[in-house]
Amino acid sequence: MVTASAPGRTGGKLVIALRSEPKTLNPILAVDASSRDVIRCLTADLIHINRASQKTEPALAKSWNVSADGRSYTLHLRKGLQFSDGRPVDADDVVFSFALYVDEKVHSPQRDLLVIGGKPITARKLDAYTVLFELAKPYAAAERLFDSLAIVPRHLLETAYQLGKLSESWTLSAPASQFAGLGPFRLKEYVPGTRIVLERNPYYWKEDSKGKRLPYLDEVVFLFVATEDAQVIRFQAGETDILSRFSAENFDVLEKQRAAKKYTLYDLGPGLEYNFIFFNLNDLPAKQPPDSLKQKQAWFEDIRFRQAVSAAIDRDSIVRLAYNGRATPLWGHVTPGNKLWLDANLPHPERSIPRARQLLQSAGFKWNSDGALLDAHGSSVEFSVLTSSSNAQRTKIATLLQDDLRELGMNVHVVPLEFRAMVDRLLNTHDYEAAIMGLASGDADPNPEMNVWLSSGGTHLWHPNQTKPATTWEAEIDRLMEEQLTTLNYAKRKRMFDRVQEIVAENVPIICVVSPNILVGAGNRLGNVRPVIIDPYALWNIEELYIR
């Protein structure tokens, strides 16, 4: 496969900092960001979403055909492909890989995306270079499903899979000789607590326009650097070459010295991340919640209360104070960065304390002589908001929210928690009142977020895993999301998803507030740097990067 980028020079080393050590190098099981960052360099998929164009393009599959009913996909593999250990690739490796992804006993996080109409996608070998994928129902943009599903070597993992020990395979402690992938690099060295080193894959299947085999780089080194500030200092000192996922505050610090330090900074505008506030609307067991939480849920369940909170939030101040202006205010969950799916007609009402007070009055709330908000029973409106202690921007959002709602007479307590402890409360124990979170899809298409918007979804955060929709508007979202899933016409899908956005904005199960800009830094010695708004922001074309 020939790439379209400018030809570069072979050789050199790229150094990148990771916030934490990867948990695994097994693409079937990886969930954490650090693992995925490394795995992307080691593996390849059949059909790939180009992060710059956001369109699908051939990868390990040189072409594909779709049946008239949209239920069968025939993929034709490139001939001559080799894993990074030199062993040839054929249809058996593809069928084996998909067997791992859909096996319930494996617990692959990708499995949910491969279950269509209640049944997993099936993969069947037609010949050595042709695989037939069959779906129970038509699936909109089904070719996008293949993105980021790494094809793994049957000759290295089949025995472990048969013995039920796949989770023990491709851990960081395993020797490099036990790994093989189809990405531009292969594992060279792991030093616990310090770094992972990758080396050029001599069997990689892409070349540049002059016929030179990619990648250009000889090595990629991932250093483990635990904090954002430490990562920024290393980048500033020239010890690392690329920086992403950092704050607007640090962007401004770097901006002051970029000419002298010989790096370039990119502010790409809003990505796909949306930050929001939501309330606990779960059906809690009678013996579990204290009476105070039951009482507060009566507030939270009233749409007028949620609308009042939304009306009182000063989104422009959040952009200015939490993100130094490098963010975009939101009133819906699709950001302006997602040009294909944004509902441009969604209202953007200005902040209005009088409007918020009217909504609260209509819901039976009132104020005492001190200005404190009281419910219909005379109880003060007071609740806590969880936020991740490791995310400074969301903690600032919580503090600003606290100030905004004080103007309505609400007493809000900000509770920073370690991220894993916070997620446990949100998804498992449901021991919380309100929370601030952020979500970001790896694709602009709506389908990867089915688990968020279906009432039965595990990340339907305000009330996950419902056996049936708790409200009529959630039932309508369920219907629309299921219907768009099998609608092959983009314009029709867009109308359905526009309606989903409208329902969310009207009923505010989540109160969207802001989308941070995608910020990237790269050393000037690097060529072919083309950062994008979809993760991995700066490393999506790592095979094309080179040292000038």
Side-chain angles (χ1 to χ4, degrees), residues 279 295-296 299-300 305 309 360 364-368 371-384 405-406 408-413 433:
F279 297 98
Q295 182 181 19
K296 292 174 184 180
W299 313 335
F300 304 156
F305 180 89
V309 170
L360 291 169
F365 292 88
K366 57 190 175 183
W367 289 265
N368 66 15
L373 183 66
L374 308 177
D375 67 11
H377 304 288
S379 299
S380 298
V381 175
E382 181 175 356
F383 58 90
S384 61
L405 297 187
R406 188 178 290 121
L408 292 179
M410 297 184 189
N411 189 7
V412 177
H413 305 282
E433 294 170 357

PDB file of all heavy atoms in Angstrom, residues 279 295-296 299-300 305 309 360 364-368 371-384 405-406 408-413 433:
ATOM      1  N   PHE A 279     -27.156  13.803  37.200  1.00  0.00           N
ATOM      2  CA  PHE A 279     -27.676  13.484  38.519  1.00  0.00           C
ATOM      3  C   PHE A 279     -27.993  11.988  38.613  1.00  0.00           C
ATOM      4  O   PHE A 279     -28.217  11.321  37.604  1.00  0.00           O
ATOM      5  CB  PHE A 279     -28.936  14.302  38.809  1.00  0.00           C
ATOM      6  CG  PHE A 279     -28.692  15.783  38.856  1.00  0.00           C
ATOM      7  CD1 PHE A 279     -28.959  16.578  37.745  1.00  0.00           C
ATOM      8  CD2 PHE A 279     -28.193  16.382  39.993  1.00  0.00           C
ATOM      9  CE1 PHE A 279     -28.738  17.946  37.778  1.00  0.00           C
ATOM     10  CE2 PHE A 279     -27.960  17.745  40.041  1.00  0.00           C
ATOM     11  CZ  PHE A 279     -28.224  18.534  38.928  1.00  0.00           C
ATOM     12  N   GLN A 295     -35.072  11.824  48.808  1.00  0.00           N
ATOM     13  CA  GLN A 295     -35.654  13.153  48.687  1.00  0.00           C
ATOM     14  C   GLN A 295     -35.006  13.935  47.553  1.00  0.00           C
ATOM     15  O   GLN A 295     -35.678  14.597  46.757  1.00  0.00           O
ATOM     16  CB  GLN A 295     -35.488  13.907  50.011  1.00  0.00           C
ATOM     17  CG  GLN A 295     -36.102  15.294  50.020  1.00  0.00           C
ATOM     18  CD  GLN A 295     -35.876  16.001  51.350  1.00  0.00           C
ATOM     19  OE1 GLN A 295     -35.002  15.640  52.109  1.00  0.00           O
ATOM     20  NE2 GLN A 295     -36.683  17.005  51.630  1.00  0.00           N
ATOM     21  N   LYS A 296     -33.686  13.845  47.452  1.00  0.00           N
ATOM     22  CA  LYS A 296     -32.962  14.573  46.406  1.00  0.00           C
ATOM     23  C   LYS A 296     -33.280  14.018  45.031  1.00  0.00           C
ATOM     24  O   LYS A 296     -33.337  14.757  44.052  1.00  0.00           O
ATOM     25  CB  LYS A 296     -31.462  14.520  46.694  1.00  0.00           C
ATOM     26  CG  LYS A 296     -31.067  15.318  47.934  1.00  0.00           C
ATOM     27  CD  LYS A 296     -29.610  15.143  48.311  1.00  0.00           C
ATOM     28  CE  LYS A 296     -29.315  15.879  49.610  1.00  0.00           C
ATOM     29  NZ  LYS A 296     -27.905  15.755  50.041  1.00  0.00           N
ATOM     30  N   TRP A 299     -36.023  15.761  43.390  1.00  0.00           N
ATOM     31  CA  TRP A 299     -35.623  16.982  42.678  1.00  0.00           C
ATOM     32  C   TRP A 299     -35.037  16.627  41.313  1.00  0.00           C
ATOM     33  O   TRP A 299     -35.408  17.192  40.286  1.00  0.00           O
ATOM     34  CB  TRP A 299     -34.561  17.772  43.435  1.00  0.00           C
ATOM     35  CG  TRP A 299     -34.788  17.998  44.900  1.00  0.00           C
ATOM     36  CD1 TRP A 299     -35.978  18.020  45.568  1.00  0.00           C
ATOM     37  CD2 TRP A 299     -33.765  18.229  45.879  1.00  0.00           C
ATOM     38  NE1 TRP A 299     -35.764  18.260  46.900  1.00  0.00           N
ATOM     39  CE2 TRP A 299     -34.424  18.404  47.123  1.00  0.00           C
ATOM     40  CE3 TRP A 299     -32.376  18.332  45.837  1.00  0.00           C
ATOM     41  CZ2 TRP A 299     -33.729  18.652  48.308  1.00  0.00           C
ATOM     42  CZ3 TRP A 299     -31.677  18.593  47.007  1.00  0.00           C
ATOM     43  CH2 TRP A 299     -32.355  18.745  48.230  1.00  0.00           C
ATOM     44  N   PHE A 300     -34.071  15.688  41.345  1.00  0.00           N
ATOM     45  CA  PHE A 300     -33.299  15.369  40.136  1.00  0.00           C
ATOM     46  C   PHE A 300     -34.199  14.848  39.014  1.00  0.00           C
ATOM     47  O   PHE A 300     -33.936  15.078  37.835  1.00  0.00           O
ATOM     48  CB  PHE A 300     -32.221  14.337  40.438  1.00  0.00           C
ATOM     49  CG  PHE A 300     -31.260  14.716  41.537  1.00  0.00           C
ATOM     50  CD1 PHE A 300     -30.582  13.730  42.251  1.00  0.00           C
ATOM     51  CD2 PHE A 300     -31.032  16.040  41.866  1.00  0.00           C
ATOM     52  CE1 PHE A 300     -29.691  14.057  43.258  1.00  0.00           C
ATOM     53  CE2 PHE A 300     -30.144  16.391  42.883  1.00  0.00           C
ATOM     54  CZ  PHE A 300     -29.468  15.392  43.580  1.00  0.00           C
ATOM     55  N   PHE A 305     -36.106  20.998  37.242  1.00  0.00           N
ATOM     56  CA  PHE A 305     -34.924  21.195  38.090  1.00  0.00           C
ATOM     57  C   PHE A 305     -33.659  21.107  37.244  1.00  0.00           C
ATOM     58  O   PHE A 305     -32.772  21.965  37.328  1.00  0.00           O
ATOM     59  CB  PHE A 305     -34.901  20.139  39.198  1.00  0.00           C
ATOM     60  CG  PHE A 305     -33.732  20.249  40.136  1.00  0.00           C
ATOM     61  CD1 PHE A 305     -33.806  21.042  41.271  1.00  0.00           C
ATOM     62  CD2 PHE A 305     -32.551  19.569  39.880  1.00  0.00           C
ATOM     63  CE1 PHE A 305     -32.724  21.152  42.144  1.00  0.00           C
ATOM     64  CE2 PHE A 305     -31.467  19.664  40.738  1.00  0.00           C
ATOM     65  CZ  PHE A 305     -31.550  20.464  41.873  1.00  0.00           C
ATOM     66  N   VAL A 309     -30.889  24.107  36.362  1.00  0.00           N
ATOM     67  CA  VAL A 309     -29.440  24.008  36.569  1.00  0.00           C
ATOM     68  C   VAL A 309     -28.705  24.371  35.285  1.00  0.00           C
ATOM     69  O   VAL A 309     -27.743  25.150  35.287  1.00  0.00           O
ATOM     70  CB  VAL A 309     -29.048  22.593  37.051  1.00  0.00           C
ATOM     71  CG1 VAL A 309     -27.532  22.412  37.031  1.00  0.00           C
ATOM     72  CG2 VAL A 309     -29.597  22.339  38.453  1.00  0.00           C
ATOM     73  N   LEU A 360     -37.755  26.730  38.568  1.00  0.00           N
ATOM     74  CA  LEU A 360     -37.790  26.177  39.923  1.00  0.00           C
ATOM     75  C   LEU A 360     -39.114  26.498  40.612  1.00  0.00           C
ATOM     76  O   LEU A 360     -39.696  25.645  41.299  1.00  0.00           O
ATOM     77  CB  LEU A 360     -36.609  26.705  40.735  1.00  0.00           C
ATOM     78  CG  LEU A 360     -35.233  26.187  40.304  1.00  0.00           C
ATOM     79  CD1 LEU A 360     -34.121  26.969  40.989  1.00  0.00           C
ATOM     80  CD2 LEU A 360     -35.097  24.694  40.614  1.00  0.00           C
ATOM     81  N   GLY A 364     -42.373  23.986  42.199  1.00  0.00           N
ATOM     82  CA  GLY A 364     -42.746  23.974  43.612  1.00  0.00           C
ATOM     83  C   GLY A 364     -41.660  24.406  44.570  1.00  0.00           C
ATOM     84  O   GLY A 364     -41.834  24.313  45.795  1.00  0.00           O
ATOM     85  N   PHE A 365     -40.525  24.865  44.062  1.00  0.00           N
ATOM     86  CA  PHE A 365     -39.449  25.348  44.938  1.00  0.00           C
ATOM     87  C   PHE A 365     -39.723  26.796  45.324  1.00  0.00           C
ATOM     88  O   PHE A 365     -40.424  27.536  44.623  1.00  0.00           O
ATOM     89  CB  PHE A 365     -38.096  25.239  44.225  1.00  0.00           C
ATOM     90  CG  PHE A 365     -37.641  23.828  43.994  1.00  0.00           C
ATOM     91  CD1 PHE A 365     -38.028  23.137  42.842  1.00  0.00           C
ATOM     92  CD2 PHE A 365     -36.829  23.182  44.911  1.00  0.00           C
ATOM     93  CE1 PHE A 365     -37.609  21.834  42.621  1.00  0.00           C
ATOM     94  CE2 PHE A 365     -36.405  21.868  44.701  1.00  0.00           C
ATOM     95  CZ  PHE A 365     -36.793  21.193  43.552  1.00  0.00           C
ATOM     96  N   LYS A 366     -39.122  27.206  46.437  1.00  0.00           N
ATOM     97  CA  LYS A 366     -39.255  28.586  46.905  1.00  0.00           C
ATOM     98  C   LYS A 366     -37.980  28.981  47.648  1.00  0.00           C
ATOM     99  O   LYS A 366     -37.084  28.150  47.837  1.00  0.00           O
ATOM    100  CB  LYS A 366     -40.478  28.710  47.814  1.00  0.00           C
ATOM    101  CG  LYS A 366     -40.443  27.753  49.012  1.00  0.00           C
ATOM    102  CD  LYS A 366     -41.776  27.732  49.729  1.00  0.00           C
ATOM    103  CE  LYS A 366     -41.752  26.674  50.850  1.00  0.00           C
ATOM    104  NZ  LYS A 366     -43.056  26.572  51.534  1.00  0.00           N
ATOM    105  N   TRP A 367     -37.899  30.239  48.055  1.00  0.00           N
ATOM    106  CA  TRP A 367     -36.696  30.739  48.722  1.00  0.00           C
ATOM    107  C   TRP A 367     -37.072  31.287  50.099  1.00  0.00           C
ATOM    108  O   TRP A 367     -38.146  31.894  50.272  1.00  0.00           O
ATOM    109  CB  TRP A 367     -36.047  31.852  47.890  1.00  0.00           C
ATOM    110  CG  TRP A 367     -35.417  31.342  46.640  1.00  0.00           C
ATOM    111  CD1 TRP A 367     -34.119  31.004  46.462  1.00  0.00           C
ATOM    112  CD2 TRP A 367     -36.058  31.091  45.395  1.00  0.00           C
ATOM    113  NE1 TRP A 367     -33.893  30.547  45.182  1.00  0.00           N
ATOM    114  CE2 TRP A 367     -35.087  30.596  44.494  1.00  0.00           C
ATOM    115  CE3 TRP A 367     -37.372  31.223  44.922  1.00  0.00           C
ATOM    116  CZ2 TRP A 367     -35.350  30.243  43.175  1.00  0.00           C
ATOM    117  CZ3 TRP A 367     -37.662  30.858  43.612  1.00  0.00           C
ATOM    118  CH2 TRP A 367     -36.659  30.382  42.763  1.00  0.00           C
ATOM    119  N   ASN A 368     -36.188  31.094  51.074  1.00  0.00           N
ATOM    120  CA  ASN A 368     -36.428  31.679  52.393  1.00  0.00           C
ATOM    121  C   ASN A 368     -35.855  33.092  52.442  1.00  0.00           C
ATOM    122  O   ASN A 368     -35.316  33.598  51.446  1.00  0.00           O
ATOM    123  CB  ASN A 368     -35.860  30.784  53.508  1.00  0.00           C
ATOM    124  CG  ASN A 368     -34.337  30.678  53.479  1.00  0.00           C
ATOM    125  OD1 ASN A 368     -33.656  31.472  52.818  1.00  0.00           O
ATOM    126  ND2 ASN A 368     -33.805  29.718  54.223  1.00  0.00           N
ATOM    127  N   GLY A 371     -32.372  33.673  51.176  1.00  0.00           N
ATOM    128  CA  GLY A 371     -32.097  33.377  49.774  1.00  0.00           C
ATOM    129  C   GLY A 371     -31.796  31.925  49.483  1.00  0.00           C
ATOM    130  O   GLY A 371     -31.464  31.577  48.351  1.00  0.00           O
ATOM    131  N   ALA A 372     -31.911  31.058  50.518  1.00  0.00           N
ATOM    132  CA  ALA A 372     -31.661  29.628  50.303  1.00  0.00           C
ATOM    133  C   ALA A 372     -32.861  28.990  49.602  1.00  0.00           C
ATOM    134  O   ALA A 372     -34.023  29.295  49.916  1.00  0.00           O
ATOM    135  CB  ALA A 372     -31.397  28.932  51.622  1.00  0.00           C
ATOM    136  N   LEU A 373     -32.590  28.099  48.665  1.00  0.00           N
ATOM    137  CA  LEU A 373     -33.654  27.420  47.914  1.00  0.00           C
ATOM    138  C   LEU A 373     -34.214  26.284  48.762  1.00  0.00           C
ATOM    139  O   LEU A 373     -33.472  25.477  49.318  1.00  0.00           O
ATOM    140  CB  LEU A 373     -33.097  26.879  46.600  1.00  0.00           C
ATOM    141  CG  LEU A 373     -34.110  26.211  45.672  1.00  0.00           C
ATOM    142  CD1 LEU A 373     -35.129  27.228  45.151  1.00  0.00           C
ATOM    143  CD2 LEU A 373     -33.394  25.524  44.497  1.00  0.00           C
ATOM    144  N   LEU A 374     -35.559  26.220  48.848  1.00  0.00           N
ATOM    145  CA  LEU A 374     -36.252  25.182  49.598  1.00  0.00           C
ATOM    146  C   LEU A 374     -37.158  24.403  48.667  1.00  0.00           C
ATOM    147  O   LEU A 374     -37.724  24.964  47.711  1.00  0.00           O
ATOM    148  CB  LEU A 374     -37.100  25.802  50.714  1.00  0.00           C
ATOM    149  CG  LEU A 374     -36.403  26.779  51.675  1.00  0.00           C
ATOM    150  CD1 LEU A 374     -37.421  27.347  52.655  1.00  0.00           C
ATOM    151  CD2 LEU A 374     -35.251  26.110  52.389  1.00  0.00           C
ATOM    152  N   ASP A 375     -37.308  23.098  48.931  1.00  0.00           N
ATOM    153  CA  ASP A 375     -38.242  22.315  48.125  1.00  0.00           C
ATOM    154  C   ASP A 375     -39.656  22.454  48.692  1.00  0.00           C
ATOM    155  O   ASP A 375     -39.893  23.213  49.650  1.00  0.00           O
ATOM    156  CB  ASP A 375     -37.798  20.860  48.016  1.00  0.00           C
ATOM    157  CG  ASP A 375     -37.867  20.099  49.337  1.00  0.00           C
ATOM    158  OD1 ASP A 375     -38.447  20.630  50.305  1.00  0.00           O
ATOM    159  OD2 ASP A 375     -37.332  18.977  49.395  1.00  0.00           O
ATOM    160  N   ALA A 376     -40.599  21.733  48.147  1.00  0.00           N
ATOM    161  CA  ALA A 376     -41.997  21.872  48.555  1.00  0.00           C
ATOM    162  C   ALA A 376     -42.227  21.470  50.003  1.00  0.00           C
ATOM    163  O   ALA A 376     -43.241  21.862  50.604  1.00  0.00           O
ATOM    164  CB  ALA A 376     -42.880  21.033  47.626  1.00  0.00           C
ATOM    165  N   HIS A 377     -41.306  20.686  50.579  1.00  0.00           N
ATOM    166  CA  HIS A 377     -41.426  20.249  51.971  1.00  0.00           C
ATOM    167  C   HIS A 377     -40.670  21.165  52.922  1.00  0.00           C
ATOM    168  O   HIS A 377     -40.602  20.886  54.123  1.00  0.00           O
ATOM    169  CB  HIS A 377     -40.908  18.822  52.117  1.00  0.00           C
ATOM    170  CG  HIS A 377     -41.592  17.833  51.214  1.00  0.00           C
ATOM    171  ND1 HIS A 377     -42.891  17.407  51.417  1.00  0.00           N
ATOM    172  CD2 HIS A 377     -41.169  17.196  50.089  1.00  0.00           C
ATOM    173  CE1 HIS A 377     -43.241  16.557  50.466  1.00  0.00           C
ATOM    174  NE2 HIS A 377     -42.208  16.406  49.643  1.00  0.00           N
ATOM    175  N   GLY A 378     -40.044  22.218  52.373  1.00  0.00           N
ATOM    176  CA  GLY A 378     -39.309  23.146  53.207  1.00  0.00           C
ATOM    177  C   GLY A 378     -37.866  22.760  53.470  1.00  0.00           C
ATOM    178  O   GLY A 378     -37.184  23.408  54.277  1.00  0.00           O
ATOM    179  N   SER A 379     -37.369  21.729  52.789  1.00  0.00           N
ATOM    180  CA  SER A 379     -35.984  21.295  52.984  1.00  0.00           C
ATOM    181  C   SER A 379     -35.047  22.085  52.073  1.00  0.00           C
ATOM    182  O   SER A 379     -35.384  22.382  50.915  1.00  0.00           O
ATOM    183  CB  SER A 379     -35.842  19.796  52.670  1.00  0.00           C
ATOM    184  OG  SER A 379     -36.656  19.033  53.539  1.00  0.00           O
ATOM    185  N   SER A 380     -33.866  22.403  52.580  1.00  0.00           N
ATOM    186  CA  SER A 380     -32.873  23.130  51.787  1.00  0.00           C
ATOM    187  C   SER A 380     -32.359  22.252  50.647  1.00  0.00           C
ATOM    188  O   SER A 380     -32.163  21.041  50.815  1.00  0.00           O
ATOM    189  CB  SER A 380     -31.691  23.541  52.673  1.00  0.00           C
ATOM    190  OG  SER A 380     -32.124  24.420  53.689  1.00  0.00           O
ATOM    191  N   VAL A 381     -32.154  22.884  49.501  1.00  0.00           N
ATOM    192  CA  VAL A 381     -31.622  22.158  48.342  1.00  0.00           C
ATOM    193  C   VAL A 381     -30.104  22.144  48.442  1.00  0.00           C
ATOM    194  O   VAL A 381     -29.435  23.166  48.271  1.00  0.00           O
ATOM    195  CB  VAL A 381     -32.078  22.810  47.021  1.00  0.00           C
ATOM    196  CG1 VAL A 381     -31.415  22.121  45.830  1.00  0.00           C
ATOM    197  CG2 VAL A 381     -33.598  22.732  46.905  1.00  0.00           C
ATOM    198  N   GLU A 382     -29.594  20.973  48.737  1.00  0.00           N
ATOM    199  CA  GLU A 382     -28.160  20.791  48.979  1.00  0.00           C
ATOM    200  C   GLU A 382     -27.754  19.435  48.426  1.00  0.00           C
ATOM    201  O   GLU A 382     -28.434  18.431  48.666  1.00  0.00           O
ATOM    202  CB  GLU A 382     -27.894  20.863  50.483  1.00  0.00           C
ATOM    203  CG  GLU A 382     -26.450  20.726  50.886  1.00  0.00           C
ATOM    204  CD  GLU A 382     -26.271  20.922  52.401  1.00  0.00           C
ATOM    205  OE1 GLU A 382     -27.264  21.238  53.082  1.00  0.00           O
ATOM    206  OE2 GLU A 382     -25.132  20.746  52.878  1.00  0.00           O
ATOM    207  N   PHE A 383     -26.679  19.387  47.648  1.00  0.00           N
ATOM    208  CA  PHE A 383     -26.216  18.109  47.109  1.00  0.00           C
ATOM    209  C   PHE A 383     -24.719  18.185  46.809  1.00  0.00           C
ATOM    210  O   PHE A 383     -24.135  19.271  46.746  1.00  0.00           O
ATOM    211  CB  PHE A 383     -26.995  17.704  45.854  1.00  0.00           C
ATOM    212  CG  PHE A 383     -26.946  18.694  44.720  1.00  0.00           C
ATOM    213  CD1 PHE A 383     -25.945  18.620  43.757  1.00  0.00           C
ATOM    214  CD2 PHE A 383     -27.918  19.683  44.590  1.00  0.00           C
ATOM    215  CE1 PHE A 383     -25.902  19.520  42.704  1.00  0.00           C
ATOM    216  CE2 PHE A 383     -27.886  20.587  43.542  1.00  0.00           C
ATOM    217  CZ  PHE A 383     -26.872  20.503  42.596  1.00  0.00           C
ATOM    218  N   SER A 384     -24.134  17.006  46.635  1.00  0.00           N
ATOM    219  CA  SER A 384     -22.698  16.914  46.345  1.00  0.00           C
ATOM    220  C   SER A 384     -22.480  16.568  44.880  1.00  0.00           C
ATOM    221  O   SER A 384     -23.322  15.919  44.244  1.00  0.00           O
ATOM    222  CB  SER A 384     -22.033  15.858  47.233  1.00  0.00           C
ATOM    223  OG  SER A 384     -22.594  14.585  46.992  1.00  0.00           O
ATOM    224  N   LEU A 405     -24.613  27.952  40.931  1.00  0.00           N
ATOM    225  CA  LEU A 405     -25.850  27.482  41.558  1.00  0.00           C
ATOM    226  C   LEU A 405     -26.103  28.152  42.900  1.00  0.00           C
ATOM    227  O   LEU A 405     -27.243  28.136  43.395  1.00  0.00           O
ATOM    228  CB  LEU A 405     -25.808  25.959  41.703  1.00  0.00           C
ATOM    229  CG  LEU A 405     -25.739  25.185  40.370  1.00  0.00           C
ATOM    230  CD1 LEU A 405     -25.872  23.693  40.596  1.00  0.00           C
ATOM    231  CD2 LEU A 405     -26.806  25.670  39.394  1.00  0.00           C
ATOM    232  N   ARG A 406     -25.056  28.743  43.472  1.00  0.00           N
ATOM    233  CA  ARG A 406     -25.257  29.536  44.696  1.00  0.00           C
ATOM    234  C   ARG A 406     -26.194  30.717  44.418  1.00  0.00           C
ATOM    235  O   ARG A 406     -26.943  31.157  45.290  1.00  0.00           O
ATOM    236  CB  ARG A 406     -23.913  30.010  45.229  1.00  0.00           C
ATOM    237  CG  ARG A 406     -24.005  30.687  46.614  1.00  0.00           C
ATOM    238  CD  ARG A 406     -22.633  31.091  47.125  1.00  0.00           C
ATOM    239  NE  ARG A 406     -21.836  29.927  47.471  1.00  0.00           N
ATOM    240  CZ  ARG A 406     -20.661  29.632  46.909  1.00  0.00           C
ATOM    241  NH1 ARG A 406     -20.154  30.426  45.974  1.00  0.00           N
ATOM    242  NH2 ARG A 406     -19.990  28.566  47.281  1.00  0.00           N
ATOM    243  N   LEU A 408     -28.749  30.589  42.734  1.00  0.00           N
ATOM    244  CA  LEU A 408     -30.121  30.079  42.822  1.00  0.00           C
ATOM    245  C   LEU A 408     -30.474  29.660  44.238  1.00  0.00           C
ATOM    246  O   LEU A 408     -31.578  29.156  44.483  1.00  0.00           O
ATOM    247  CB  LEU A 408     -30.298  28.872  41.886  1.00  0.00           C
ATOM    248  CG  LEU A 408     -30.251  29.145  40.385  1.00  0.00           C
ATOM    249  CD1 LEU A 408     -30.407  27.841  39.610  1.00  0.00           C
ATOM    250  CD2 LEU A 408     -31.316  30.147  39.976  1.00  0.00           C
ATOM    251  N   GLY A 409     -29.531  29.824  45.176  1.00  0.00           N
ATOM    252  CA  GLY A 409     -29.781  29.415  46.554  1.00  0.00           C
ATOM    253  C   GLY A 409     -29.487  27.956  46.820  1.00  0.00           C
ATOM    254  O   GLY A 409     -29.847  27.425  47.878  1.00  0.00           O
ATOM    255  N   MET A 410     -28.827  27.270  45.872  1.00  0.00           N
ATOM    256  CA  MET A 410     -28.447  25.868  46.072  1.00  0.00           C
ATOM    257  C   MET A 410     -27.089  25.794  46.768  1.00  0.00           C
ATOM    258  O   MET A 410     -26.185  26.582  46.476  1.00  0.00           O
ATOM    259  CB  MET A 410     -28.370  25.130  44.730  1.00  0.00           C
ATOM    260  CG  MET A 410     -29.674  25.042  43.983  1.00  0.00           C
ATOM    261  SD  MET A 410     -29.485  24.038  42.461  1.00  0.00           S
ATOM    262  CE  MET A 410     -31.060  24.353  41.670  1.00  0.00           C
ATOM    263  N   ASN A 411     -26.952  24.834  47.651  1.00  0.00           N
ATOM    264  CA  ASN A 411     -25.695  24.600  48.367  1.00  0.00           C
ATOM    265  C   ASN A 411     -25.042  23.346  47.787  1.00  0.00           C
ATOM    266  O   ASN A 411     -25.512  22.229  48.035  1.00  0.00           O
ATOM    267  CB  ASN A 411     -25.958  24.442  49.867  1.00  0.00           C
ATOM    268  CG  ASN A 411     -24.670  24.420  50.679  1.00  0.00           C
ATOM    269  OD1 ASN A 411     -23.591  24.646  50.129  1.00  0.00           O
ATOM    270  ND2 ASN A 411     -24.791  24.151  51.966  1.00  0.00           N
ATOM    271  N   VAL A 412     -23.991  23.530  46.998  1.00  0.00           N
ATOM    272  CA  VAL A 412     -23.344  22.421  46.287  1.00  0.00           C
ATOM    273  C   VAL A 412     -21.983  22.147  46.912  1.00  0.00           C
ATOM    274  O   VAL A 412     -21.185  23.065  47.133  1.00  0.00           O
ATOM    275  CB  VAL A 412     -23.181  22.754  44.790  1.00  0.00           C
ATOM    276  CG1 VAL A 412     -22.440  21.630  44.068  1.00  0.00           C
ATOM    277  CG2 VAL A 412     -24.550  22.989  44.151  1.00  0.00           C
ATOM    278  N   HIS A 413     -21.694  20.873  47.182  1.00  0.00           N
ATOM    279  CA  HIS A 413     -20.420  20.460  47.745  1.00  0.00           C
ATOM    280  C   HIS A 413     -19.616  19.719  46.683  1.00  0.00           C
ATOM    281  O   HIS A 413     -20.121  18.763  46.073  1.00  0.00           O
ATOM    282  CB  HIS A 413     -20.630  19.541  48.956  1.00  0.00           C
ATOM    283  CG  HIS A 413     -21.493  20.146  50.026  1.00  0.00           C
ATOM    284  ND1 HIS A 413     -21.035  21.084  50.909  1.00  0.00           N
ATOM    285  CD2 HIS A 413     -22.817  19.953  50.311  1.00  0.00           C
ATOM    286  CE1 HIS A 413     -22.012  21.443  51.725  1.00  0.00           C
ATOM    287  NE2 HIS A 413     -23.111  20.775  51.366  1.00  0.00           N
ATOM    288  N   GLU A 433     -24.700  11.642  44.296  1.00  0.00           N
ATOM    289  CA  GLU A 433     -25.843  12.512  44.037  1.00  0.00           C
ATOM    290  C   GLU A 433     -25.751  13.160  42.653  1.00  0.00           C
ATOM    291  O   GLU A 433     -26.700  13.145  41.887  1.00  0.00           O
ATOM    292  CB  GLU A 433     -25.943  13.571  45.140  1.00  0.00           C
ATOM    293  CG  GLU A 433     -26.269  12.929  46.482  1.00  0.00           C
ATOM    294  CD  GLU A 433     -26.144  13.864  47.673  1.00  0.00           C
ATOM    295  OE1 GLU A 433     -25.746  15.035  47.494  1.00  0.00           O
ATOM    296  OE2 GLU A 433     -26.437  13.393  48.797  1.00  0.00           O
TER     297      GLU A 433
END
